[in-house]
Amino acid sequence: RESWASDSSDSVISSGSDSDSNLYKVILLGEHGVGKTSLARIFGGVEDCADAEEAGNTYDRSIIVDGEEASLVVFDIWEQDDSQWLQNHCMKMGDAYIIVYSVTDKVSFEKASELRIQLRRARQTEDIPIILVGNKSDLVRSREVSVDEGRACAVVFDCKFIETSAALHHNVKDLFEGIVRQIRLRKDSKED
Ligand code: GDP
């Protein structure tokens, strides 16, 4: 069982840092029930809190990736209410996006493609980092979307791909580190 918390005590420097040019806004997108909140709570280190029912939250945390600190603010607000305004805002405000589907739910996989298209439309000229996430990889027997299908979708949509299990904490750390690396790659190529 991979735990973000167990090996990261020295990599968590602060929470709530602001006025930091290395502060990145990461937005979670995806159908209801795919595991957005579970992933965000693992990132935030608050997964065991009792009030898991509350909808919509943000989690900020600094992590060390490749020896350098980065502060992420992860927004789990996509489903907070049905307002078109909020969803439009989500599409515009992110420095990076995590589009989540459940490998046990083909409909959520199709929805992920729609979200990618929506995002492309909203941010046409920008090359924003996106990671497509197939969550619930632990549910082997109810899998409806194969790893290859996920990977192929990411190729078509020109984004990164990872399968995770929030339940087992599998690949969750890699996911958020991957986001930081993607953001940095684009920043570096702009500065050149
Ligand atoms: P959200 O609606 O996208 O925020 O999804 P939630 O994080 O609320 O998760 C929906 C349900 O799926 C909850 O009952 C979670 O415990 C469960 N869940 C989330 N991730 C996983 C996972 O990786 N594996 C399994 N087996 N269940 C998960």
Side-chain angles (χ1 to χ4, degrees):
R1 186 179 157 109
E2 180 196 10
S3 164
W4 177 290
S6 66
D7 61 352
S8 65
S9 52
D10 59 346
S11 65
V12 178
I13 289 184
S14 59
S15 65
S17 60
D18 47 16
S19 67
D20 180 353
S21 64
N22 287 328
L23 182 78
Y24 305 123
K25 296 192 281 290
V26 179
I27 320 285
L28 283 156
L29 305 178
E31 190 88 313
H32 181 68
V34 295
K36 297 182 298 300
T37 303
S38 305
L39 292 168
R41 292 177 82 90
I42 292 170
F43 171 77
V46 292
E47 49 181 318
D48 296 324
C49 288
D51 57 339
E53 283 304 304
E54 94 191 77
N57 227 322
T58 64
Y59 305 83
D60 57 297
R61 181 161 174 189
S62 293
I63 57 175
I64 300 280
V65 181
D66 303 326
E68 209 184 312
E69 184 185 5
S71 302
L72 296 187
V73 188
V74 172
F75 291 83
D76 176 29
I77 58 173
W78 181 245
E79 295 185 283
Q80 195 158 13
D81 56 42
D82 287 330
S83 85
Q84 200 57 47
W85 181 87
L86 181 71
Q87 298 209 335
N88 285 338
H89 188 59
C90 279
M91 289 296 184
K92 297 215 172 84
M93 70 184 279
D95 296 310
Y97 290 84
I98 296 176
I99 302 181
V100 188
Y101 66 91
S102 165
V103 301
T104 64
D105 178 3
K106 194 100 192 180
V107 174
S108 73
F109 181 58
E110 283 152 13
K111 181 70 186 178
S113 298
E114 280 171 36
L115 288 167
R116 174 67 184 97
I117 291 164
Q118 225 178 308
L119 193 53
R120 185 183 279 160
R121 224 174 266 144
R123 309 285 290 267
Q124 274 171 9
T125 58
E126 295 164 86
D127 178 25
I128 20 166
I130 299 170
I131 300 193
L132 178 68
V133 178
N135 187 45
K136 306 198 187 183
S137 62
D138 57 291
L139 297 177
V140 178
R141 275 144 56 108
S142 41
R143 183 185 276 272
E144 292 182 359
V145 183
S146 71
V147 184
D148 285 344
E149 283 175 286
R151 209 176 278 137
C153 182
V155 170
V156 170
F157 286 114
D158 189 26
C159 60
K160 288 280 167 187
F161 172 69
I162 193 169
E163 280 202 351
T164 58
S165 166
L168 302 179
H169 286 216
H170 182 248
N171 273 353
V172 178
K173 191 167 183 269
D174 296 56
L175 165 61
F176 288 99
E177 290 180 354
I179 273 287
V180 171
R181 291 197 181 100
Q182 288 303 306
I183 292 168
R184 284 182 184 158
L185 272 174
R186 284 165 175 77
K187 228 177 65 172
D188 292 348
S189 64
K190 260 184 215 150
E191 281 164 5
D192 288 343

